[in-house]
Amino acid sequence: MIHPPPSVPWQVTGNHWLCLPCIHPVDASIHLAGVVHAGSRGAIEFAGNPSYLEGGGPPLIALTIEIDGEPKRIGADGMVWERELSWLPTFSCT
């Protein structure tokens, strides 16, 4: 079965053991993570919710910071994405 491209332009990264195919471009939240588990002799995926592919629902991991005791949402004023070494997604935001 061929699936259409996702509606969210996900940032993607991974290596031989870990895959992060759904890093949200707006706030860098991670909606899906996949790992290779030698004991299970296979791959395991963890998602924040069943509608992860559309970016809906709560993410698996959300990045927040605290400034003077007040939580701040990462990416609230926008993010700029770049790639280090052509594969590692990095971002900057205010």
Side-chain angles (χ1 to χ4, degrees), residues 18-22 30-35 44-48 60-61:
L18 173 68
C19 178
L20 301 175
C22 294
I30 297 172
H31 287 253
L32 181 72
V35 296
I44 302 169
E45 287 185 327
F46 302 94
L60 181 64
I61 300 168

Side-chain angles (χ1 to χ4, degrees), residues 4-85:
S7 59
V8 177
W10 297 110
Q11 293 290 327
V12 178
T13 192
N15 59 30
H16 295 293
W17 304 277
L18 173 68
C19 178
L20 301 175
C22 294
I23 303 171
H24 205 287
V26 174
D27 61 5
S29 59
I30 297 172
H31 287 253
L32 181 72
V35 296
V36 174
H37 188 274
S40 297
R41 294 182 304 278
I44 302 169
E45 287 185 327
F46 302 94
N49 66 81
S51 63
Y52 71 89
L53 194 56
E54 293 83 31
L60 181 64
I61 300 168
L63 304 175
T64 60
I65 60 173
E66 192 172 298
I67 300 174
D68 295 327
E70 186 177 332
K72 300 287 184 181
R73 188 170 68 99
I74 298 270
D77 296 325
M79 296 185 126
V80 175
W81 288 90
E82 297 179 20
R83 293 276 171 168
E84 294 291 329
L85 304 172

